[in-house]
Amino acid sequence: MTERVRIRVDDVEYEVDAGRTVLQALDDCGALFPERDGKRPEQTDALIPHYCWHPKLSIDGSCRLCQVEVRAGADAPPKLAIACNTPVSEGLVVDTKSETVAAARQGVMELLLINHPLDCPICDQAGECKLQDYAYTHGVDHARTREPRRKAKKRVDLGPTIVFDQERCILCRRCVRFCREVTGTGELGVFDRGDRSVLETFPDEPLDNAYSMNVADICPVGALTTKDFRFKMRVWFLEDVDGICTGCSRGCNVHIGVAKNAVQRYLPRRNDAVNGTWMCDDGRLSYHEIAREDRLTTCLVREQAIGEDSPQLRPASLDEAVAAVAARLRPLLDAKGPGVIAGIASAHASNEDLRAFKTFLDVLDVDTIGLAVARGDSDDLLVEAEKGANGAGARAVGFGALAPVADRIRGGGIEALIVLGHDLFADGSLDARALAGLDTVVAFDTHRSPVERVAHVVFPVRHAAEKDASYTNSAGIVQPVQRAVVPGPEVRDEGDFLQRIGAALGLAGFETETETEAESKAGDGAE
Amino acid sequence: MQKVPFTTGYLTAHCGDDAYGTLDGYKAEGGYETARRVLKKGTPEDLIETLKASGLQGRGGASFIAGQKWSFMPGAEDDTGPRYLVCNADESEPGSFKDRLLLERAPHLLLEGILLAAFAIRAEKTFLYVRGEYGEAIRVLTRAIEEARAGKVLGPRALGSRFAHDVVLVRGAGAYICGEETGLLESLEGKKGQPRKKPPYPAENGVFGRPTTVNNVETLCHVPHIVEKGADWFRGIGTAESPGNTLFGVSGHVVRPGLYELPLGTPLDEIVFEHAGGVAGGRKLKAVIPGGLSMAVLPAGQVDVPMANEFLRERQTALGTGGIIVMDDTTCMVRVACIITHFFREESCGQCTQCREGTGWMNRIVSRIERGEGRFEDLALLKDVCAKMEGKTICAFADAAAWPVQGLLRHFPQDFQSHVTHGQCPYPGSFVLA
Ligand SMILES: Cc1cc2nc3c(=O)[nH]c(=O)nc-3n(C[C@H](O)[C@H](O)[C@H](O)COP(=O)(O)O)c2cc1C
Ligand code: SF4
Ligand code: SF4
Ligand code: SF4
Ligand code: FES
């Protein structure tokens, strides 16, 4: 076990791991952002203000903002030192509020601002800018420079995702260290020296890696902004909701930035057990799928109208869709029993919906069940091969491999299929042809997908950002999410639809009015 | 030919002699005998004790006790890998040119010092980092190292002992900051010359991540003499706190600019007026920078001070590198401030906020004053910027940039004020600095 030492910061004593620095130790015990309370670090004042230090990057020690007075013991003389690089030791006393400390911070703030363009009114970082915040809390209130401010490049296109403003850069080198230490791609460097120092990409090497947008998060100022979110919205109009990215089974924690009942951005939310402080660019941009045009907004039922060659999927009311399912499944059950029915779960469904699905199948006595999940590229950092947030949750509920189900379908033993999500064809064991002969296919999905082509009834379900639910990531960590946006009135949880279908089939224990529904109605009214 | 230097002592007695620069010539003066004896029969512990007892202060500018620095290195029990000695021959402090003489005229004295220091800290290799502009020194040292290898002074059995050692010469590329010891280490590793934060200190994690000691050229050149003649002999020279001779480099408005080997504690006025022949052209003394550009200036009335830190400290300045810059009464102290701040602005590595921004701001303010666009508040503003820089950065560069400006403001406020009052520089001649 690591040795522990006691340090005192202002009037509070902390027991911390030896071998850490003051900032690290305070961060370890959650004391660095005392009023964090669900808020992003960008929104709260740190106990010890800092720029270049970042919990997941090497110590730089250059911005000098984190200076504090340290004493080796209560009686030792105080010494000004940077908290990010001062090792803790038994009895260390740290003073973050003395006049010397305040003066040192003020010095750093004044010097950082003498060449700053002060273009906050047109800067996208305004409102979550640490230079702004600390200028208020630790800086001086007027400029003493008479000389013109340094001119530098504006609106530099660094690569596919990021725009750079050289005048706003405070040269903390967080972005440089990120590209060297985290992605190992090293596109960024500080060139020249002294007050000519500038951040640049290396010649002919754009900032282009799978995690590039994280540099905008860790940039304390408005120097690095993402093309995706830039100028979209003033950040003080955003509400932050805790969510997860559903791009892969890592389940990176995100702050969902919401305004006007729409997701405006994802930012990584720190969770040291899952994603640290990062997320991949694909995942970050995946919020766009929530409001994409191909979202399903109503139930669909396949019917053949007079004059048509073949039956077509067309919008139907909830009751019509539920009735259509019951009308197809009841006779089948009565004639052939549950053995001809199969259920396929999805890694996109929440634990709650997966449990509801399992219960539904159990009550029906269906035992041909499996999980369809898409696989893709993975890397050593975060991205997992399983493309869905809840494969582990589905397996825990009892949905196993797809292969036996696929075999039975292809072997002709199945006549009805109830399927969640759109990954049915992902592993290639099934395709539309294999399903063409089925009597009934009932699908639950967020988006239009090829599954539609074989479906007889389709139910529009909610995205993870639209519900209070939980997902289990690849490490088995159960992660709760909160509803960030409210979908259209006909979009519901899988569990909710299944409840109604169960009732229509007359299954034991299924009621018409569900709890979730009552809740969501109440919620809708409040929003 | 004039004597090199003007006054000599144990360090430089033979520097006028061309043969002294060769292996045979050095040996003819008894060279390498001390190292041979110590490497064969001595122990690192005894050597460190001797150095500690001698009280030798580093001559690179910070005056850190050399024996103490060596004792920070891990002892014999640490066998995790190599450790290194680095000889700092980057000499780029304006006003300093003492190491150059030793490098060009006493290369084997330096190599013997290196061998002894390396033995004390159990280093298997020395990196000799030489200022890139020192072409002659590089040529001389390259030859001396080759001679020493051929003559088995260096190598797997250095001087016939069981101690293995080699010296690798590395050429700098003209950055002042690469003289700062950790900036030097970064440069040695092929990186941008930017000082490292401490901890870790070089003795724990130095060049290539290994325990390293950095010593100045002159520091190492004292070592063979101390080991040969003993700590008591050394303590008999100089002052109680600052023993030994040192090389003072005198430049500026004096009759005889050049190097002077003299005991520490020699009064500054004696150096300027007696040894260097006083102010040139019969003019009056205005000010002296006692220890290289980074040290605070002394006005003419305060040059009656022994050149040792314990005395200079009382006058709010320090010995630094012993580079004495003399200025006569035609010198505009605002122009001096322009030159000094320009230098530090150019040379800051730019990592630390206060140094990166402060050096530029100071330079802009003093340039404005020189142009006649200053305000009286600018004096207080300059002092305040200095206070914001001093003692708050990764390396001592920011202090080195603040101290000279503080000194000029302390002793010559009238020069600054008259610029403001007259709206122009009251001194004759034009002054342009990019
Ligand atoms: C900005 C700066 C420049 C320096 N330049 C030199 C130099 O050129 N040569 C040198 O020996 N020491 C220089 N030093 C001092 C070194 O950091 C270091 O203290 C010295 O090399 C140690 O040697 P010593 O203990 O033998 O004096 C410089 C220090 C600073 C802060
Ligand atoms: S761009 Fe941002 S993160 Fe990068 S060095 Fe500049 S201020 Fe720091
Ligand atoms: S690694 Fe996976 S969970 Fe994390 S952001 Fe990327 S896609 Fe989303
Ligand atoms: S004090 Fe100046 S020179 Fe030294 S590390 Fe900081 S910025 Fe670089
Ligand atoms: S946070 Fe410590 S120096 Fe920047």
Side-chain angles (χ1 to χ4, degrees):
Chain A
M1 220 190 82
T2 348
E3 191 198 329
R4 305 276 283 175
V5 296
R6 273 162 308 163
I7 63 170
R8 175 176 281 279
V9 180
D10 298 329
D11 292 326
V12 188
E13 194 164 283
Y14 301 91
E15 197 186 276
V16 300
D17 282 349
R20 303 288 280 167
T21 70
V22 172
L23 270 196
Q24 287 171 334
L26 287 172
D27 181 51
D28 290 346
C29 47
L32 190 54
F33 292 97
E35 282 137 55
R36 179 119 176 236
D37 191 23
K39 284 196 241 161
R40 286 182 289 120
E42 288 72 28
Q43 298 167 308
T44 56
D45 217 4
L47 181 62
I48 299 174
H50 54 274
Y51 285 126
C52 64
W53 185 80
H54 184 279
K56 302 294 175 191
L57 298 173
S58 67
I59 298 171
D60 201 67
S62 64
C63 77
R64 317 304 289 179
L65 184 62
C66 70
Q67 293 178 100
V68 290
E69 280 196 297
V70 294
R71 287 176 286 153
D75 306 321
K79 195 179 97 196
L80 204 58
I82 48 172
C84 64
N85 196 45
T86 300
V88 295
S89 58
E90 180 63 36
L92 186 79
V93 181
V94 179
D95 189 343
T96 74
K97 298 198 166 91
S98 73
E99 269 178 41
T100 313
V101 171
R105 277 180 195 160
Q106 214 180 50
V108 173
M109 289 312 303
E110 178 170 28
L111 286 160
L112 274 177
L113 287 166
I114 61 170
N115 275 309
H116 194 79
L118 299 178
D119 51 0
C120 314
I122 55 156
C123 177
D124 223 31
Q125 191 83 358
E128 53 184 5
C129 173
K130 283 289 166 206
L131 194 63
Q132 260 186 348
D133 292 354
Y134 291 147
Y136 278 114
T137 45
H138 304 292
V140 286
D141 55 5
H142 64 286
R144 295 191 290 171
T145 43
R146 294 216 308 174
E147 299 77 17
R149 281 154 196 272
R150 184 167 54 229
K151 288 265 169 276
K153 297 184 199 161
K154 300 293 259 187
R155 290 174 292 276
V156 185
D157 192 327
L158 287 192
T161 59
I162 298 288
V163 178
F164 173 51
D165 186 310
Q166 210 167 49
E167 285 183 347
R168 295 179 190 151
C169 171
I170 60 167
L171 293 163
C172 70
R173 300 191 289 197
R174 278 180 166 193
C175 56
V176 175
R177 280 173 285 145
F178 177 84
C179 291
R180 290 189 186 162
E181 298 166 10
V182 180
T183 59
T185 45
E187 297 98 331
L188 297 172
V190 174
F191 294 81
D192 214 324
R193 55 181 188 165
D195 62 358
R196 284 94 55 222
S197 302
V198 281
L199 177 88
E200 303 258 15
T201 49
F202 282 86
D204 299 323
E205 204 177 329
L207 173 60
D208 187 4
N209 63 61
Y211 294 82
S212 64
M213 291 161 92
N214 290 286
V215 299
D217 306 333
I218 59 178
C219 179
V221 295
L224 297 171
T225 47
T226 65
K227 290 182 183 174
D228 184 59
F229 183 68
R230 202 172 135 79
F231 298 140
K232 198 157 147 186
M233 167 117 347
R234 277 305 193 186
V235 295
W236 50 84
F237 294 125
L238 292 181
E239 184 198 350
D240 262 340
V241 182
D242 285 359
I244 62 160
C245 170
T246 53
C248 78
S249 58
R250 173 74 57 177
C252 291
N253 293 202
V254 298
H255 294 283
I256 307 179
V258 186
K260 301 181 192 154
N261 194 33
V263 175
Q264 308 291 339
R265 67 174 178 188
Y266 280 171
L267 291 181
R269 176 164 54 95
R270 182 171 178 184
N271 184 336
D272 289 349
V274 178
N275 53 309
T277 51
W278 319 126
M279 72 186 298
C280 77
D281 288 356
D282 285 346
R284 182 188 304 254
L285 294 173
S286 70
Y287 77 87
H288 286 287
E289 74 189 19
I290 299 169
R292 218 165 53 196
E293 269 176 16
D294 60 348
R295 268 308 286 279
L296 293 170
T297 53
T298 64
C299 301
L300 302 171
V301 174
R302 193 174 293 278
E303 282 168 340
Q304 189 160 0
I306 298 161
E308 277 177 351
D309 301 345
S310 59
Q312 302 291 324
L313 274 185
R314 54 182 111 253
S317 71
L318 172 61
D319 290 342
E320 285 166 352
V322 169
V325 175
R328 286 170 163 274
L329 289 186
R330 188 76 264 165
L332 202 63
L333 279 168
D334 293 344
K336 305 193 173 166
V340 297
I341 301 180
I344 297 180
S346 160
H348 300 297
S350 70
N351 285 327
E352 293 69 20
D353 292 311
L354 287 163
R355 279 196 288 269
F357 189 32
K358 184 66 168 44
T359 307
F360 178 83
L361 295 167
D362 286 348
V363 173
L364 275 181
D365 221 8
V366 168
D367 54 13
T368 309
I369 63 171
L371 168 67
V373 57
R375 296 182 67 81
D377 290 340
S378 62
D379 64 23
D380 301 336
L381 196 52
L382 295 176
V383 179
E384 304 264 20
E386 196 168 281
K387 303 301 171 193
N390 208 20
R395 282 183 279 267
V397 170
F399 295 97
L402 181 62
V405 185
D407 286 347
R408 279 207 64 194
I409 292 174
R410 280 197 312 270
I414 294 297
E415 295 186 24
L417 176 64
I418 306 171
V419 56
L420 309 190
H422 44 256
D423 295 328
L424 190 58
F425 306 139
D427 73 354
S429 61
L430 289 174
D431 54 19
R433 255 211 359 250
L435 301 184
L438 295 190
D439 174 82
T440 298
V441 176
V442 180
F444 297 77
D445 209 347
T446 48
H447 292 78
R448 306 196 55 168
S449 84
V451 178
E452 260 175 48
R453 266 181 272 146
V454 293
H456 300 97
V457 184
V458 180
F459 291 96
V461 297
R462 294 176 177 179
H463 185 275
E466 295 166 338
K467 56 212 280 174
D468 293 318
S470 73
Y471 295 77
T472 306
N473 85 345
S474 55
I477 300 171
V478 178
Q479 311 202 83
V481 299
Q482 290 164 14
R483 181 166 64 179
V485 289
V486 183
E490 313 199 8
V491 180
R492 292 163 185 265
D493 290 336
E494 290 90 330
D496 189 75
F497 289 125
L498 289 165
Q499 193 74 28
R500 289 160 190 279
I501 295 167
L505 287 170
L507 302 183
F510 286 74
E511 318 286 333
T512 24
E513 175 93 0
T514 67
E515 260 183 63
T516 24
E517 187 187 23
E519 235 176 59
S520 77
K521 271 186 188 161
D524 291 358
E527 234 142 312
Chain B
M1 207 182 102
Q2 275 181 323
K3 254 201 319 177
V4 175
F6 289 117
T7 60
T8 62
Y10 59 88
L11 266 186
T12 56
H14 303 289
C15 283
D17 172 8
D18 286 343
Y20 190 67
T22 66
L23 180 58
D24 290 342
Y26 183 66
K27 281 186 170 167
E29 300 294 342
Y32 289 120
E33 281 315 309
T34 308
R36 186 187 307 280
R37 178 172 52 79
V38 172
L39 265 49
K40 280 187 177 157
K41 305 214 177 82
T43 65
E45 291 77 12
D46 288 347
L47 194 47
I48 291 177
E49 279 318 306
T50 306
L51 253 287
K52 276 189 179 165
S54 78
L56 172 67
Q57 297 171 344
R59 300 293 199 251
S63 301
F64 197 84
I65 309 282
Q68 208 178 332
K69 189 186 276 191
W70 293 0
S71 68
F72 295 152
M73 290 288 276
E77 70 290 347
D78 180 321
D79 57 357
T80 53
R83 63 263 313 270
Y84 300 109
L85 175 67
V86 171
C87 173
N88 189 343
D90 192 54
E91 187 162 67
S92 30
E93 174 85 10
S96 301
F97 44 91
K98 62 181 180 82
D99 293 340
R100 177 177 179 181
L101 177 85
L102 296 166
L103 295 168
E104 291 178 0
R105 307 295 301 178
H108 288 285
L109 175 62
L110 176 61
L111 289 179
E112 186 170 5
I114 284 174
L115 272 174
L116 288 164
F119 181 75
I121 62 169
R122 300 179 168 86
E124 62 172 48
K125 192 174 278 181
T126 293
F127 294 101
L128 175 52
Y129 187 95
V130 191
R131 176 184 166 113
E133 295 89 331
Y134 277 3
E136 171 67 4
I138 288 165
R139 201 180 56 73
V140 170
L141 289 165
T142 307
R143 201 191 52 216
I145 293 168
E146 277 165 14
E147 264 186 315
R149 285 183 189 143
K152 302 208 160 53
V153 171
L154 296 173
R157 294 175 54 86
L159 292 166
S161 71
R162 283 188 303 177
F163 180 67
H165 198 72
D166 195 19
V167 176
V168 177
L169 189 146
V170 180
R171 188 172 181 162
Y176 174 57
I177 197 58
C178 292
E180 194 281 340
E181 60 183 13
T182 56
L184 191 159
L185 299 181
E186 288 284 291
S187 171
L188 260 185
E189 292 182 1
K191 301 177 187 152
K192 188 172 177 179
Q194 291 190 321
R196 297 175 180 174
K197 61 187 190 304
K198 294 128 208 147
Y201 290 89
E204 181 195 331
N205 185 331
V207 72
F208 305 117
R210 299 301 308 163
T212 302
T213 293
V214 183
N215 273 131
N216 168 259
V217 171
E218 186 194 326
T219 312
L220 293 168
C221 286
H222 285 278
V223 173
H225 292 285
I226 293 169
V227 178
E228 183 200 338
K229 303 177 189 108
D232 290 340
W233 162 82
F234 190 72
R235 284 232 176 247
I237 309 165
T239 71
E241 212 178 289
S242 307
N245 278 356
T246 202
L247 275 171
F248 292 109
V250 186
S251 62
H253 301 144
V254 285
V255 175
R256 271 197 311 273
L259 280 170
Y260 297 84
E261 181 179 341
L262 293 166
L264 283 171
T266 305
L268 181 54
D269 48 359
E270 181 189 319
I271 300 174
V272 173
F273 291 107
E274 293 178 28
H275 298 293
V279 180
R283 289 190 295 269
K284 275 175 48 192
L285 180 69
K286 180 163 184 177
V288 180
I289 296 175
L293 204 65
S294 345
M295 296 300 145
V297 71
L298 288 172
Q302 288 196 26
V303 296
D304 56 335
V305 57
M307 286 292 283
N309 275 323
E310 63 271 32
F311 302 100
L312 288 163
R313 201 176 297 134
E314 289 170 12
R315 306 206 174 174
Q316 291 178 276
T317 187
L319 182 67
T321 58
I324 296 170
I325 304 170
V326 179
M327 293 172 271
D328 70 21
D329 58 357
T330 64
T331 314
C332 167
M333 287 299 158
V334 178
R335 291 180 183 178
V336 171
C338 284
I339 294 167
I340 293 178
T341 54
H342 180 257
F343 174 78
F344 286 107
R345 179 186 191 171
E346 279 294 311
E347 297 292 334
S348 163
C349 88
Q351 295 185 92
C352 311
T353 303
Q354 303 97 317
C355 178
R356 176 179 69 240
E357 304 295 339
T359 50
W361 196 12
M362 287 202 304
N363 183 236
R364 288 193 293 275
I365 297 169
V366 294
S367 303
R368 194 155 47 71
I369 298 175
E370 169 62 16
R371 286 197 308 271
E373 296 163 19
R375 303 165 297 180
F376 287 108
E377 313 86 277
D378 286 335
L379 274 72
L381 178 57
L382 271 176
K383 277 187 198 156
D384 191 47
V385 177
C386 289
K388 292 191 151 119
M389 295 170 66
E390 189 190 356
K392 299 183 179 66
T393 52
I394 291 180
C395 85
F397 180 101
D399 310 70
W403 289 333
V405 175
Q406 287 170 332
L408 291 169
L409 289 168
R410 186 156 60 233
H411 298 302
F412 300 98
Q414 66 282 4
D415 266 22
F416 289 82
Q417 283 152 356
S418 63
H419 280 70
V420 178
T421 314
H422 299 299
Q424 64 180 58
C425 176
Y427 287 83
S430 65
F431 175 78
V432 184
L433 190 68

